[in-house]
Amino acid sequence: MSGLNARACALLLSVSVIPVGMFGGWSSALAQSAAPADVMQAARPKPIKRKRAAAPMAEVPLPPAVMNANAQVGQQIYQSLDEITVTATKTEQRAIDALAPVSVMTLDQIESRQASRVADLIYTIPGVWMQDRGDDPSTSINIRGLQDFGRVAVVVDGARQNYQRTGHNSNGSFFLNPELIGGIDITRGPTANVYGSGAIGGVASFRTKDIQDVVRPGERWGVDANTIFGTNHGRALGSVFGGVHVNPDVDLFAGGTYSTQDNYKDGLGVTVENTAQRLNAGIAKLTVRPADGHEVKLGGIFQEDVYDVGQPRRPLGSPFAQPGSAGNGTSVYATNLKNYTTTLGWKYSRPDDQLFDWNANIYWNRTDNQQIKIAHNSTLATGTCTGGQPGNSITGCVGDPRGYLIDTYGFDVYNTSRIDGGDWRHAITYGVDGFRDDVSTFDKTGNSNKTTPGGERTVTGGFIQWKANYTSLLEVISAVRYDNYQLNSTIGSASGDRFSPKITVGLLPAAVATPYVSYAEGYRAPTITETLVAGAHVATGAGQGDFSVCPDGQRGFFCFLPNANLRPEVGKNKEIGLNVKKNDIFSAGDSFRGKFNVFRNDVSDYIDTVQFTGPPFNSFPPIPGAFPTTYLQYQNIASARIQGFEMETMYDAQRFFIGLSATIQEGKNTQTNIGLYSVQPQKLTTTAGLRFLDNQVVLSAMWTSVKSNTDIPVTYLPGTSYDLVNVYLAVRPTKDLALNFSVENILNEYYRPYAIPRAADFTSPQNDVLWASAGAGITYKAGLRYHFGGG
């Protein structure tokens, strides 16, 4: 492992052996039932609102309702895998009990990280990676090597986040201020196909903060105020969230956050330009309970991100700087991005009602990205711009605007009916969902409105799922989903539909160890860009590389070809998993949780860009000779195969905790046997910590070791192998006051987490991505959070 000495590597090895040794000692107890409930009598269980398809394991109490982290002083410690998840089956259950590769993150964990962006929260989760740029605050999630164009379904309070812009960046991202997040629920692979169309990679569900996060039990109102300061170079954040129970049937919640940061330095001490950002966000929710069991919630989120995206030329002598045109940066755009999310949900649930457990949600999400070109860093400037402004026909002229706007309208309605008969318990969940993307783009003098075409996409679907438990011996989950899509634009249209099955079988669901097997299919419809992108990728000007003649008569570097015959991708995932849970192992109150799984996801009709040449052949003076036209088209390749092993473990002895999570995987284009650039082969995260003074002081460290993927196409430069070590200290002298300190990247290591596209010559990388993808070097942060509340 890079950057660490042999002693540190030995520590990781010893930590890794602990959960293995524990599991070996339990092999004789795999089929035993749980310990009596009175072992955990000091815990505060969450009230059960409905009957469940499977009886909960008696030794593990349900976690409390989401509570402000500052209220945890002296309270029972709950492992995150004991928290509730819904993404796998749309029915509530603990993550440790879910027969699926599920990970959750609690509010307490989120607040202790003091995250600057979403990636700071989820990078340690097994199978999860990010392809972010430092000069862009958006987040692009990769799960099990699949990303872009909705392969990972990202939802915020149930609202799909479908923003996509094609450029020197990922093809799919979303904007969410970390200070708004109250909980994270991630399911890997298409096993959660009931959650919506497209998620062949997985589902990442984010819950924003709500009244229960700031108003504690016994309080009528509450307010949380938070302040964070950091180094590298100048970081500051302030936020206030508050709520009030107007009466037993009406709740109001609102809050906002503002943060700034200057350009940071990477681990080599080089300033990464345009990583300065100014972010602000506001949230408001109204909850009404009009009748027994009914809850109606109206929520709204507004975010504004102000930043400059793009990288200027790097001075010679700086790392990765190159002389001449090879060292060019890119154009820089002053960006004002606004993101709006509005949701209206209606839930109904009563313990005595077996037929109806209802959840309905409608939503609207808008991402409005308005940019103005403020700098042209290429040496190739043409006379296409007026007034003597530099620029060219690819990126436009300095002073000219461009914009990307996407509106997503959607709904999600489902119900669960429960039937008990003899030794069987049945839960039948059925529902419909859909969304429509309206995309419009504008570029006054550049090429962006061609690389990201406008249009409409409508995706609808429905599902039915049967979940059955036979006493404490067997759990079966079977489902089928139907999907349909329609694409329309001025260039063309496309459509398609499919049924996708799922079956999961688990043994001994209430025992210490629960093995399960699963087969699930997922269906991803092609996007507007993949299907309908057309026209010339124009050159900088006449005679400067525009050797290709496109069907519409335009010239360019190459020609985008639409593909109305593009078929949807189908993920076929096979999984074998094992859930392990045990309390009171070495001492009263300690616990171990572990989820282990191996998987193979065969994605048929995988969509990727294919470059080829063909007629017409043309000559272009002053260069003699005939040149074929170069085309770029999204096509279905035969298949992509991604397979691997994942684990997530944690041993918690109250006074200390230690855990290991791991991802080992590989991905191949089965047609060429070349690895997929987006698949990372190995990630290990060791977490360890100590608690003092009745949980008033918590000291912890996280060490993530990542191995670079070198089995990738020649058109990409591999990312780096790296070791990222963070240290956290939380001090809570009173139940109302919390002090948080952290040191991020304590080794001050230079790292680029993902592969970088190369230029057309396959040798020089795209410098703006190379420079902007480097993570921040060592960073110190300190924060103070205070709670106010009363009856």
Side-chain angles (χ1 to χ4, degrees):
M1 297 179 187
S2 62
L4 294 178
N5 57 30
R7 180 180 300 178
C9 293
L11 175 60
L12 177 61
L13 179 61
S14 64
V15 169
S16 306
V17 170
I18 290 175
V20 176
M22 289 179 182
F23 177 71
W26 301 335
S27 59
S28 63
L30 294 183
Q32 293 179 1
S33 299
D38 58 2
V39 173
M40 301 295 288
Q41 60 185 353
R44 299 178 59 191
K46 177 179 178 180
I48 298 175
K49 292 185 177 181
R50 56 181 66 96
K51 294 184 179 180
R52 303 183 182 276
M57 182 178 176
E59 68 170 348
V60 185
L62 287 171
V66 179
M67 186 186 302
N68 184 287
N70 300 335
Q72 297 295 325
V73 174
Q75 297 294 323
Q76 170 74 32
I77 303 299
Y78 285 87
Q79 296 218 32
S80 61
L81 285 176
D82 286 337
E83 294 294 320
I84 296 298
T85 178
V86 296
T87 57
T89 62
K90 289 209 173 203
T91 56
E92 289 188 354
Q93 61 186 147
R94 300 181 194 85
I96 189 60
D97 293 330
L99 305 183
V102 177
S103 297
V104 295
M105 193 166 190
T106 66
L107 178 65
D108 185 39
Q109 294 171 315
I110 292 169
E111 292 183 339
S112 68
R113 295 280 185 92
Q114 304 186 108
S116 299
R117 57 194 307 158
V118 173
D120 298 336
L121 298 175
I122 61 177
Y123 75 95
T124 60
I125 294 176
V128 177
W129 315 81
M130 269 62 61
Q131 187 170 323
D132 297 348
R133 291 176 57 128
D135 57 2
D136 189 326
S138 67
T139 296
S140 176
I141 296 182
N142 173 313
I143 297 182
R144 290 183 172 177
L146 293 173
Q147 63 183 52
D148 294 342
F149 297 120
R151 292 185 176 103
V152 174
V154 177
V155 294
V156 176
D157 290 339
R160 293 282 291 243
Q161 309 292 304
N162 290 346
Y163 176 74
Q164 180 266 323
R165 179 179 74 85
T166 296
H168 294 179
N169 48 267
S170 59
N171 279 290
S173 59
F174 70 103
F175 296 82
L176 181 60
N177 195 304
E179 192 69 4
L180 299 178
I181 301 174
I184 303 173
D185 190 352
I186 292 180
T187 299
R188 302 180 291 278
T191 186
N193 62 0
V194 298
Y195 214 83
S197 178
I200 63 173
V203 176
S205 177
F206 296 84
R207 177 188 69 83
T208 60
K209 290 179 179 176
D210 208 333
I211 189 168
Q212 72 269 20
D213 299 314
V214 297
V215 180
R216 300 174 180 173
E219 293 181 341
R220 183 171 178 267
W221 63 273
V223 176
D224 272 5
N226 185 34
T227 302
I228 299 174
F229 294 97
T231 64
N232 191 12
H233 267 185
R235 299 162 183 258
L237 176 147
S239 70
V240 177
F241 297 93
V244 58
H245 297 296
V246 178
N247 58 51
D249 297 323
V250 178
D251 297 335
L252 291 174
F253 171 81
T257 178
Y258 178 83
S259 62
T260 64
Q261 73 173 44
D262 294 333
N263 293 338
Y264 65 68
K265 290 186 176 182
D266 62 26
L268 297 175
V270 178
T271 298
V272 182
E273 299 295 336
N274 294 327
T275 51
Q277 299 166 0
R278 188 176 79 245
L279 315 177
N280 63 86
I283 186 171
K285 296 181 180 181
L286 168 65
T287 304
V288 179
R289 302 173 189 87
D292 185 24
H294 293 265
E295 181 178 278
V296 178
K297 186 182 295 290
L298 174 65
I301 303 171
F302 170 75
Q303 302 178 88
E304 183 181 38
D305 298 347
V306 179
Y307 57 98
D308 294 342
V309 61
Q311 293 293 302
R313 171 184 287 271
R314 207 168 253 200
L316 287 178
S318 300
F320 307 111
Q322 302 174 65
S325 61
N328 287 340
T330 58
S331 301
V332 178
Y333 299 87
T335 303
N336 185 281
L337 184 137
K338 295 182 174 66
N339 183 275
Y340 310 82
T341 301
T342 301
T343 58
L344 177 61
W346 169 31
K347 295 181 180 180
Y348 167 76
S349 179
R350 289 178 50 178
D352 58 343
D353 192 336
Q354 294 270 54
L355 294 180
F356 293 99
D357 186 350
W358 176 271
N359 193 317
N361 191 42
I362 58 174
Y363 60 86
W364 165 65
N365 175 254
R366 163 175 284 190
T367 301
D368 185 5
N369 188 353
Q370 298 298 318
Q371 299 182 326
I372 296 177
K373 183 170 178 176
I374 60 175
H376 183 85
N377 292 298
S378 171
T379 57
L380 297 174
T382 66
T384 59
C385 301
T386 60
Q389 293 287 0
N392 57 42
S393 54
I394 298 177
T395 60
C397 308
V398 170
D400 284 347
R402 71 181 187 183
Y404 308 86
L405 176 67
I406 178 171
D407 286 297
T408 300
Y409 308 88
F411 68 93
D412 185 6
V413 181
Y414 62 94
N415 180 64
T416 299
S417 299
R418 294 175 172 84
I419 303 171
D420 294 344
D423 293 330
W424 287 91
R425 297 182 304 280
H426 306 271
I428 302 172
T429 304
Y430 41 93
V432 294
D433 54 71
F435 61 84
R436 188 186 75 188
D437 291 334
D438 290 343
V439 179
S440 60
T441 59
F442 165 78
D443 194 343
K444 183 178 180 180
T445 54
N447 197 53
S448 294
N449 53 344
K450 289 190 175 181
T451 56
T452 308
E456 293 183 356
R457 177 175 68 144
T458 301
V459 177
T460 57
F463 72 93
I464 183 168
Q465 172 185 269
W466 169 60
K467 182 178 180 181
N469 286 77
Y470 178 73
T471 62
S472 60
L473 299 177
L474 179 69
E475 181 173 313
V476 179
I477 304 170
S478 179
V480 62
R481 177 177 177 83
Y482 171 77
D483 287 295
N484 177 281
Y485 77 95
Q486 301 281 336
L487 297 179
N488 294 285
S489 80
T490 57
I491 298 175
S493 61
S495 63
D497 62 351
R498 190 179 191 274
F499 287 94
S500 301
K502 167 187 171 181
I503 180 71
T504 302
V505 179
L507 301 177
L508 308 173
V512 171
T514 301
Y516 66 89
V517 295
S518 178
Y519 175 81
E521 295 185 1
Y523 177 83
R524 186 186 75 85
T527 61
I528 296 170
T529 295
E530 291 172 301
T531 307
L532 305 176
V533 62
H537 186 299
V538 296
T540 55
Q544 297 191 27
D546 50 354
F547 305 139
S548 295
V549 179
C550 301
D552 60 2
Q554 295 187 27
R555 289 180 176 268
F557 280 130
F558 58 84
C559 304
F560 290 105
L561 281 185
N563 189 351
N565 296 318
L566 197 63
R567 298 181 299 278
E569 296 173 336
V570 177
K572 300 178 180 180
N573 190 70
K574 285 74 66 178
E575 195 122 10
I576 301 174
L578 179 69
N579 297 338
V580 181
K581 52 190 175 183
K582 178 65 177 175
N583 289 350
D584 304 326
I585 307 162
F586 303 116
S587 62
D590 69 352
S591 60
F592 176 82
R593 302 289 181 266
K595 291 180 76 73
F596 309 82
N597 54 283
V598 294
F599 67 92
R600 172 181 286 182
N601 191 3
D602 290 293
V603 184
S604 59
D605 289 327
Y606 184 78
I607 298 173
D608 205 354
T609 54
V610 176
Q611 183 174 302
F612 57 95
T613 59
F617 294 84
N618 62 94
S619 297
F620 198 92
I623 304 174
F627 295 89
T629 294
T630 300
Y631 297 97
L632 189 73
Q633 185 181 49
Y634 286 95
Q635 295 182 5
N636 297 105
I637 68 174
S639 178
R641 170 170 291 173
I642 304 172
Q643 56 191 357
F645 165 77
E646 296 167 343
M647 64 177 286
E648 182 177 4
T649 65
M650 180 63 67
Y651 172 73
D652 197 318
Q654 304 293 306
R655 290 175 299 173
F656 70 91
F657 54 92
I658 190 167
L660 177 69
S661 67
T663 302
I664 301 173
Q665 62 183 8
E666 67 172 7
K668 295 277 189 179
N669 177 336
T670 58
Q671 191 174 44
T672 63
N673 202 36
I674 297 175
L676 302 175
Y677 81 92
S678 60
V679 176
Q680 297 283 13
Q682 180 177 300
K683 178 174 68 174
L684 303 174
T685 296
T686 302
T687 303
L690 300 170
R691 300 188 183 97
F692 307 94
L693 303 176
D694 198 20
N695 303 330
Q696 289 180 291
V697 179
V698 181
L699 175 64
S700 62
M702 303 185 73
W703 171 15
T704 298
S705 180
V706 175
K707 180 180 178 181
S708 172
N709 183 12
T710 57
D711 181 16
I712 58 177
V714 295
T715 52
Y716 286 88
L717 174 72
T720 61
S721 297
Y722 61 92
D723 294 285
L724 188 60
V725 180
N726 297 343
V727 177
Y728 304 94
L729 174 64
V731 182
R732 292 170 182 153
T734 72
K735 65 183 181 65
D736 294 325
L737 175 64
L739 304 173
N740 289 290
F741 307 91
S742 63
V743 186
E744 299 174 354
N745 193 3
I746 197 171
L747 301 177
N748 198 30
E749 184 157 346
Y750 173 85
Y751 66 102
R752 289 185 293 102
Y754 56 90
I756 304 300
R758 298 182 193 264
D761 58 10
F762 300 158
T763 58
S764 59
Q766 293 177 339
N767 287 324
D768 66 313
V769 190
L770 175 67
W771 300 334
S773 63
I778 187 169
T779 304
Y780 300 87
K781 293 181 182 179
L784 183 151
R785 187 180 301 272
Y786 197 82
H787 175 79
F788 306 86

